[in-house]
Amino acid sequence: MPRLCLSAPLRAALPLVLIGSSAVPCAVFGLVSPASAHAVLERKEAAPNAAYRGVVQIMHGCDGRPTTRISVTIPEGVTGAKPMPKPGWTIETVKSAYARSYPSFHGQVSEGVTKITWSGGSLPDEQIDEFTFFARISDAFAPGATIYFPVEQDCTEGSYRWSDVPAENGNAQALKAPAPAVRIIAARGTATQGTAAQATATTAPAAPAAKTGAIAIETPWLRATPGGAKVAGGYVTLHNTGTEPDRLTGAAIPQAGRAEIHSMTTEGGVMKMAPVEGGLALAPGAGVALKPGGYHLMFLDLKDGLKAGETVAGTLTFERAGTVPVTFTVAPIGAQGPDRQGPGAQETGAAAPEADGHKHHH
């Protein structure tokens, strides 16, 4: 008679008479169901020659201990990987040569990020969170293939290595610590995994330029947010056309509890994001672009999500010019500008930018 593998909750619910020699806990066989894993990928399908937005979901900590470090290995054939920063966490990347060159929208690429690590934060065991990166699935994979992204999870005490990959034609269900997997499927059409109508409907027209006093305000826009997100990125181009210095000191939208002005820099391969204390200076006759990868607005404590195609009434506050009403357009998740999704937006489930050669965050 075959042995029955029962989960702990089910064993606890059954009468003792049923738990005999024929009912053995799953741990005896070393089986871990993907649904119960600590680390999973939200997007489990992708198309070849297309962008992919990887969202690693950490479901709980290590035996009740908070998670303090998450590291994702980018497999061969996945190119142009770039992480999305998280407030309170530091990012470090490892760049290595690829086994061969791969085509991209910027020509052939022969090296790139092969490991991304978020550290320094603290994710309590009773909470979940997401760690996001953008990359491109190269032509090395055909529909039907499976790509594995090993994940390391470290806690204040203990750790997990979700890195087991099945042998060829092996059974993934029999792995003790399965690496999160993505299955390659054929691209549907030439735009996104969905309909062309959905792709074009998510791009809102850019807001017209405005001016208040000496400050010219051009194309304020926001990035759409995934479900449950508590932060959103905001961008705008400002020009001080006057003869007196001014300073951007704040911003607001109804959906956010508060906002900060942030800078973003890369030092020694580590991406750092920090509030701009005292506001962002606007010198006479000069301009500054708040854009992905540099200065930006960080809208925090979101009460409602932002959907691509919407417009949001908000304000910008200046030291001299005062509080100015503006209209933010909402571009798709990962967009690089207010009126585009970014090149290579072939991704399952949502628009995503081509990750080779661009900055991505939020």
Side-chain angles (χ1 to χ4, degrees):
M1 180 176 180
R3 290 181 175 179
L4 179 63
C5 182
L6 303 175
S7 66
L10 183 56
R11 291 199 310 274
L14 292 176
L16 289 177
V17 68
L18 294 181
I19 307 178
S21 59
S22 62
V24 182
C26 292
V28 172
F29 295 106
L31 302 184
V32 177
S33 166
S36 65
H38 294 250
V40 295
L41 280 166
E42 177 193 32
R43 301 171 187 273
K44 297 176 175 59
E45 293 182 340
N49 283 316
Y52 174 70
R53 180 174 181 268
V55 182
V56 180
Q57 297 177 323
I58 301 301
M59 309 309 292
H60 48 86
C62 311
D63 295 325
R65 304 296 184 179
T67 300
T68 57
R69 176 182 174 274
I70 293 296
S71 188
V72 181
T73 296
I74 308 300
E76 178 71 27
V78 178
T79 65
K82 290 182 180 290
M84 179 181 289
K86 291 179 67 64
W89 296 75
T90 298
I91 293 179
E92 185 175 359
T93 59
V94 174
K95 181 178 285 189
S96 305
Y98 298 141
R100 69 172 179 87
S101 295
Y102 298 94
S104 77
F105 278 86
H106 306 281
Q108 295 290 114
V109 293
S110 58
E111 65 174 10
V113 172
T114 54
K115 193 168 188 177
I116 301 170
T117 300
W118 292 264
S119 62
S122 181
L123 175 61
D125 175 68
E126 65 273 12
Q127 298 179 13
I128 65 171
D129 205 348
E130 298 176 335
F131 297 79
T132 302
F133 64 91
F134 291 89
R136 181 172 178 79
I137 307 299
S138 75
D139 59 358
F141 303 100
T146 301
I147 310 175
Y148 295 91
F149 292 80
V151 172
E152 300 173 3
Q153 179 184 3
D154 291 339
C155 303
T156 53
E157 293 183 19
S159 63
Y160 291 99
R161 296 294 180 263
W162 304 101
S163 56
D164 288 357
V165 175
E168 187 174 358
N169 299 322
N171 181 12
Q173 295 294 324
L175 299 176
K176 294 181 179 180
V182 175
R183 183 168 178 81
I184 302 302
I185 61 173
R188 303 171 193 168
T190 58
T192 61
Q193 298 298 322
T195 66
Q198 289 173 329
T200 56
T202 58
T203 302
K211 188 172 182 179
T212 176
I215 305 299
I217 302 170
E218 298 179 4
T219 57
W221 64 284
L222 307 165
R223 273 182 175 162
T225 56
K230 295 300 181 183
V231 297
Y235 314 94
V236 64
T237 298
L238 304 171
H239 294 278
N240 185 351
T241 63
T243 59
E244 298 290 336
D246 206 338
R247 190 175 295 271
L248 176 67
T249 58
I253 59 173
Q255 293 89 339
R258 58 193 177 95
E260 296 176 352
I261 305 167
H262 280 205
S263 65
M264 184 173 172
T265 58
T266 302
E267 299 177 11
V270 178
M271 304 177 76
K272 297 181 178 180
M273 185 166 57
V276 177
E277 301 296 337
L280 184 59
L282 302 171
V288 61
L290 283 74
K291 60 184 180 180
Y295 289 116
H296 57 277
L297 301 171
M298 180 76 81
F299 292 98
L300 307 166
D301 303 332
L302 289 183
K303 299 183 285 289
D304 297 302
L306 303 176
K307 296 181 180 179
E310 294 180 334
T311 57
V312 176
T315 60
L316 297 175
T317 300
F318 300 88
E319 191 173 68
R320 293 179 63 87
T323 299
V324 182
V326 295
T327 299
F328 293 93
T329 58
V330 182
I333 294 172
Q336 289 297 294
D339 57 355
R340 65 185 188 277
Q341 297 171 320
Q346 293 184 342
E347 179 200 357
T348 301
E354 160 62 29
D356 296 334
H358 296 288
K359 305 289 186 181
H360 304 288
H361 59 297
H362 306 309

